[in-house]
Amino acid sequence: MTQLALVIDLNVCVGCHACVTSCKEWNTAGAAGPMGDQNPYGADPTGTFFNRVQTFEVGEFPNTETVHFPKSCLHCEEPPCVPVCPTGASYKRKEDGIVLVDYDKCIGCKYCSWACPYGARELDEQQQVMKKCTLCVDRIYDMSMDEADRKPSCVKACPTSARLFGDIHDPESVVSVAIRESGGYALMPEWGTHPANHYLPRRKTRIKIHEDELERADNPLKVDRQLPKPAMSEPTLDDVTTW
Amino acid sequence: MHPAFSVIFLTTFIGAAQGLFLALFTAQSYAAFKLLPQPDSQAFYGWGSLLALALLALGLGASFFHLGHPERAWRTATKWRTSWLSREVIVLPAFMGVVFLYGLAHWLDWHPVLVTLPSGLPVDPTAVLGVVGTVLAFALFVCTAMIYACLKFLAEWHSPLTVANYILLGSASGFTLAAAFAALAAPELVGFLAGWAAIITALGLISRAASLFRNARLKPKSSLRTAIGVKHPRIVQKAQGFMGGSFNTREFFHGRTVAVLRVVKWGFLMGVFVVPLLLLGFGLRGSAEVLSLAFAVQYSGLLAERWFFFAQANHPQNLYYQSIA
Ligand code: SF4
Ligand code: SF4
């Protein structure tokens, strides 16, 4: 079994929205029709996107941290959005686990969007059908592209390589290794949706310096104070002074 | 959630129609056992079924306004194995068909005895259709309610009380309508129907109050911590990724103040339960005006109740849409 997914590294995402724009650019030009915008140059522009980047502030000043949070369909392994669809327009592919909407079958009843706890689905106001991330199903199998290009558009666009793509059921894939070794986690695990997409947490690089790494602890002369003890600022000499 | 008027009208219209049909067949059953006088077949059952059919058609019409592609609506009948919405779409027209046949059989006074029960009770087509219609009416209530009750992360809806409320509130409005209708078409049944309407309304008050009580004490399972996976008690959203709104900000927020919600809540408690109960009491003596008023008030109250039902449900996706920029 294959389950394709994205792994998003919150530690390196800088919130530049490059994935958002490249996603829109690729998918609005795709075979499935445009992703409609309303009022794009007016006061209240709105439109359909598969991918959004949000920003959260964690903690209280001065101990705050900014978390940029890219958000798209997580291609859940137990997708609650699929069984509720009355038409079968929403489905999960057996072969690779991608959750898709058939825009020719969808009646725009919005029920699936109610059944997704993550708000990952958006109704296209222009086409009146439900839209969501396709994991660029029309790129990743396109043999006319270079192999390096057979990746979701967002992954290609990310300047910090915060987005990894692969099969989370293959234990040796880059995504499985990242999840396993860098603390990958799922969103809202409380609903049992088993999202395929995972997130890597913010990480801090810390080194623990012990006192005996600054002060010589193994100097036997220190014990009996046979030698003079110089000031901290003075140069030290092993076995000559006590530091 | 953002209450959609198409769905509010759909659920209240068909609820009243189902209740009206149940009232008609309840009266017929009582009359069959000679517990009630037999009303005029055409005037009461015939016209009554037509009234129920008209309400069902209104509800069905309203539902189309909810769809982005109504012309593809036939496709909704395909996933009945998994989707309550699909099941509703199948049961609704089936119920309409049975109500039509039931009304037609009464209209034509078609009462050939099909079988005779051991107790000597003759069974005619209207009895068979009535039983089938009753089953379908309850099935339709369950389907409609389960569309909401099956969504487990909408905690306000995810409860057997949702099913109880849809059954009781729909039946209450249907019996009230039946009482008002009987005041014109079969005055001898008014007391019976108005009495049942009052009883079901009172039961509805109990179950709706229970769900209000339950919902006021819900603790949300999801929080920003689980939504973005950062373990910290203080997380605030600084940007949701756009400034002009999106489907997510339109579909899942009602955009009213807490005060408005409170007014609507007390409004529907008065309109669905208290006032109709008083009017039904006055109407027991058979005044068509009072009973019609009771139905009008109760139906308007149900519109408010349904609005509140949607508005009160708090979707976990809202956690991601707390602040614009
Ligand atoms: S994230 Fe939402 S839309 Fe995507 S598969 Fe999961 S439940 Fe369905
Ligand atoms: S909006 Fe479309 S995909 Fe979603 S449940 Fe309705 S028919 Fe299915």
Side-chain angles (χ1 to χ4, degrees), chain A residues 10 17 20 38 43-47 52-61 63-64 67 69 71 80 82-89 102-111 113-123 125 127-130 185-193 199 201-202, chain B residues 1-2 7 65-70 72-80 82-86 89 146-148 150-155 157 221-224 226-232 234-248 250-252 310 315-321:
Chain A
L10 299 183
H17 290 247
V20 178
Q38 286 74 45
D44 268 328
T46 180
R52 308 273 192 181
V53 176
Q54 307 189 320
T55 302
F56 294 87
E57 189 178 81
V58 177
E60 213 152 348
F61 183 81
N63 295 318
T64 54
V67 176
F69 180 80
K71 169 176 173 294
V82 168
V84 301
C85 173
T87 64
D102 183 337
Y103 304 146
D104 292 329
K105 279 192 188 164
C106 173
I107 57 164
C109 68
K110 314 182 193 96
Y111 192 29
S113 71
W114 295 9
C116 166
Y118 308 100
R121 294 173 164 246
E122 300 189 13
L123 186 88
E125 299 287 346
Q127 263 180 290
Q128 286 296 322
V129 294
M130 196 52 74
Y185 61 88
L187 303 182
M188 292 191 191
E190 61 273 23
W191 300 119
T193 54
Y199 287 77
R202 308 262 308 154
Chain B
M1 304 290 290
H2 179 81
V7 181
F65 286 95
H66 189 67
L67 304 182
H69 280 281
R72 299 179 185 166
W74 61 271
R75 287 188 183 276
T76 49
T78 54
K79 286 290 161 194
W80 51 271
T82 59
S83 172
W84 283 104
L85 178 52
S86 183
V89 169
M146 281 308 288
I147 288 177
Y148 309 106
C150 77
L151 300 173
K152 61 181 169 187
F153 33 79
L154 280 157
W157 296 350
K221 261 195 187 179
S222 294
S223 64
L224 263 184
T226 66
I228 67 169
V230 176
K231 192 93 183 148
H232 197 292
R234 189 181 177 279
I235 305 174
V236 282
Q237 185 166 37
K238 290 292 171 186
Q240 56 188 16
F242 50 82
M243 299 179 77
S246 74
F247 174 73
N248 307 72
R250 291 187 292 268
E251 179 74 5
F252 298 92
F310 287 105
H315 201 290
Q317 78 107 34
N318 294 4
L319 291 166
Y320 296 106
Y321 299 92

Side-chain angles (χ1 to χ4, degrees), chain A residues 178-241:
Chain A
I179 294 169
R180 205 163 59 231
E181 296 182 356
S182 306
Y185 61 88
L187 303 182
M188 292 191 191
E190 61 273 23
W191 300 119
T193 54
H194 298 287
N197 284 12
H198 282 67
Y199 287 77
L200 305 183
R202 308 262 308 154
R203 295 182 287 282
K204 291 252 162 56
T205 311
R206 290 204 176 83
I207 43 169
K208 178 87 180 140
I209 299 174
H210 296 275
E211 220 175 324
D212 62 353
E213 289 168 311
L214 295 174
E215 295 181 17
R216 285 287 303 271
D218 58 346
N219 187 347
L221 298 177
K222 186 179 177 183
V223 183
D224 49 18
R225 301 199 178 227
Q226 299 239 329
L227 292 169
K229 184 176 180 180
M232 278 285 265
S233 54
E234 281 177 28
T236 63
L237 242 146
D238 276 1
D239 300 336
V240 176
T241 60

Side-chain angles (χ1 to χ4, degrees), chain B residues 110-127:
Chain B
W110 193 47
H111 298 293
V113 177
L114 300 175
V115 272
T116 311
L117 292 185
S119 58
L121 203 68
V123 176
D124 67 3
T126 61

